[in-house]
């Protein structure tokens, strides 16, 4: 197997499409498998262009249409269907790199499968790490997988740490004082708080700097995204919550920073374009073209930095608290958030209700300090049921 064979879990999403854009510029990468949940029209187009060995459609109804499209074509791509197929392509010996780009907890099992199979795993899908934390990091060590962060902040930090052959390693943070995650602050950084109840899904999904999938766009608007990233940073870099900070930086040019013991601060800068961290992860430890515009600092507006306002963004506070609490707290937070965001996007609850639901669910589920994977799956289901119940009862 070549070291440049790539499987993309969630190839029809924002990260999936950006990954394929980087691959298009770098024909040394060969696509092994692509997956989509429902968007088979786009998946089929991607198959025509990249000719993967396997195409996975996890939604069984959508898979019927994909079967028809493939049978009417001359493609040799084999169709695999259902959630289980995601696990088999994630671990398939025919590919060496797995881009985890499914959104939410739906990517948990396939990300774990890729890690356990010892792949080079490009981790965009942050929710599985938020949910399972130490367990996933332990699985990386046991299998010898190489875990590379694609979330732009974590990729920035990774680039500012000393280079070690095996990717992430505890030794890299030996001289680190603290990590600073930058946050754009999203579309509602200066909106009057009394207007929060009237925010529509369309307004919430219009991010000032990044173009992303719907769920992460809403997470950016509530700043839950930064809360999840806070938890993600603690696990990836093996640091306690009191050594991670969040700073608002509306220009999204500095993607995060590492403060060293001697007073040096290293920052990574780039245009806000996910092709940059994706190309970094794909080629690491080498560098390839990403297709992103290079940064012209003289043309940029002045770079600003502010303290994050936790009153305005209670979801960020909830994320930071869950990081401190550890155990099952982040899994509960993540599940309640996924349900609340889906309900907001469906028009069932207001934007201002999202943090209320998350808080209410968190208060009702006791935190287990050292959970097994089975316990994490259990609290995930429990938190989802509780969040749905609260929404049905019109709790907010
Ligand atoms: P998206 O909604 O655009 O795409 C999600 C992909 O996952 C699609 O291919 C979809 O078919 C697939 N999918 C959805 N539900 C599924 C299910 N139940 N089972 C299997 N597949 C399913 O999302 P995105 O914005 O590309 O984000 C993907 C992940 O990357 C998220 O975890 C997000 O937090 C993270 N991330 C995204 C960005 C970004 O710029 N978009 C930046 C950093 C991190
Ligand atoms: Mg990010």
């Amino acid at each position: 197997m070549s070291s440049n064979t790539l499987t993309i879990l969630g190839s029809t999403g924002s990260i999936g499409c950006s990954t394929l854009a980087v691959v298009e510029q770098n024909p040394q990468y060969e696509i092994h498998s692509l997956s989509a949940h429902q968007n088979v029209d786009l998946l089929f187009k991607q198959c025509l262009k990249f000719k993967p060995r396997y195409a996975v459609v996890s939604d069984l109804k959508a898979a019927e249409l994909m079967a028809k499209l493939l049978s009417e074509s001359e493609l040799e791509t084999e169709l695999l269907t259902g959630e289980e197929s995601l696990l088999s392509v994630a671990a398939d010996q025919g590919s060496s790199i797995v881009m985890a780009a499914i959104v939410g907890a739906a990517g948990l099992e396939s990300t774990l499968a890729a890690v356990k199979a010892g792949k080079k795993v490009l981790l965009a899908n942050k929710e599985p790490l938020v949910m399972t934390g130490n367990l996933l990091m332990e699985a990386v060590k046991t299998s010898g997988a190489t875990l590379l962060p694609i979330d732009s902040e974590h990729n920035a930090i990774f680039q500012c740490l000393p280079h070690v052959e095996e990717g992430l390693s505890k030794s890299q943070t030996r001289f680190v004082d603290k990590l600073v995650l930058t946050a754009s602050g999203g579309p509602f950084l200066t909106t009057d708080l009394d207007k929060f109840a009237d925010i529509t899904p369309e307004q919430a999904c219009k991010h000032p700097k990044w173009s992303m999938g719907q769920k992460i766009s809403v997470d950016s608007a509530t700043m839950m995204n930064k809360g999840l990233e806070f938890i993600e940073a603690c696990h990836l870099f093996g640091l306690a919550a009191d050594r991670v900070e969040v700073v608002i930086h509306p220009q999204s040019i500095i993607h995060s920073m590492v403060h060293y013991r001697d007073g040096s601060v290293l920052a990574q800068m780039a245009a806000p374009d996910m092709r940059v961290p994706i190309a970094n992860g794909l080629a690491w430890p080498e560098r390839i073209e990403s297709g992103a515009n290079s940064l012209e600092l003289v043309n940029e507006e002045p770079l600003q930095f502010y303290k994050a306002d936790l009153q305005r963004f209670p979801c960020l506070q909830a994320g930071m608290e869950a990081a401190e609490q550890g155990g099952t707290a982040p899994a509960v937070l993540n599940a309640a958030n996924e349900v609340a965001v889906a309900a907001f996007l469906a028009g069932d609850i207001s934007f201002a209700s999202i943090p209320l639901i998350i808080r209410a669910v968190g208060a009702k589920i006791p935190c287990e300090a050292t959970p097994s994977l089975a316990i994490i799956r259990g609290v995930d289901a429990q938190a989802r049921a509780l969040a749905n119940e609260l929404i049905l009862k019109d709790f907010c």
Side-chain angles (χ1 to χ4, degrees), residues 77-337:
T77 299
E78 192 177 322
L79 175 65
L80 304 175
T81 62
E83 285 170 29
E84 290 297 311
S85 305
L86 288 169
L87 275 63
S88 61
V89 292
D92 194 287
Q93 295 210 333
S95 99
S96 54
I97 314 172
V98 174
M99 164 59 85
I102 288 175
V103 60
L108 173 63
E109 308 299 339
S110 53
T111 302
L112 283 172
V115 165
K116 287 182 182 158
K119 304 288 178 194
K120 172 168 159 177
V121 180
L122 309 186
L123 189 72
N125 184 195
K126 65 195 87 182
E127 293 90 346
L129 178 58
V130 166
M131 295 168 74
T132 60
N134 294 338
L135 292 177
L136 193 141
M137 297 309 288
E138 284 302 320
V140 169
K141 258 191 235 153
T142 311
S143 69
T146 304
L147 187 67
L148 297 171
I150 298 303
D151 215 346
S152 58
E153 297 76 3
H154 308 74
N155 183 267
I157 291 168
F158 180 63
Q159 292 196 46
C160 295
L161 291 174
H163 172 96
V164 290
E165 282 308 320
E166 69 273 25
L168 275 171
S169 144
K170 201 133 192 163
S171 68
Q172 289 170 293
T173 50
R174 247 182 327 159
F175 306 120
V176 170
D177 181 17
K178 64 176 181 184
L179 306 177
V180 175
L181 298 172
T182 54
S184 71
F188 310 126
L189 185 58
T190 55
T191 306
D192 280 349
L193 284 179
D194 54 11
K195 301 226 168 75
F196 268 38
D198 304 323
I199 288 170
T200 64
E202 199 191 357
Q203 291 168 323
C205 286
K206 217 166 166 191
H207 196 279
K209 292 288 172 190
W210 299 91
S211 156
M212 309 180 283
Q214 281 197 317
K215 192 255 177 187
I216 185 175
S217 295
V218 176
D219 283 351
S220 299
T222 61
M223 283 196 75
M224 176 55 90
N225 184 47
K226 211 53 54 178
L228 299 176
E229 290 181 357
F230 190 96
I231 301 165
E232 187 185 8
C234 293
H235 290 303
L236 280 174
F237 305 111
L239 293 178
D242 62 0
R243 289 172 68 197
V244 183
E245 272 179 26
V246 173
V247 164
I248 304 281
H249 166 48
Q251 293 75 28
S252 296
I253 295 294
I254 291 188
H255 295 295
S256 279
M257 298 174 248
V258 179
H259 286 236
Y260 283 96
R261 214 185 260 179
D262 59 8
S264 299
V265 181
L266 300 196
Q268 184 259 1
M269 294 193 276
D273 185 326
M274 285 307 292
R275 288 175 298 176
V276 176
I278 290 168
N280 181 265
L282 260 182
W284 183 88
E286 295 174 9
R287 301 256 179 189
I288 52 172
E289 296 283 330
S290 69
N293 289 334
S294 84
L295 193 57
E296 295 294 343
L297 278 175
V298 287
N299 298 338
E300 291 296 332
E301 45 183 313
L303 304 188
Q304 297 165 305
F305 303 92
Y306 306 106
K307 228 175 134 69
D309 177 352
L310 298 180
Q311 304 265 303
R312 170 176 288 272
F313 296 114
C315 287
L316 170 60
Q317 177 154 24
M320 291 163 74
E321 284 172 11
E324 224 160 283
Q325 219 179 339
T328 47
V332 170
L333 173 97
N334 178 66
N337 180 56

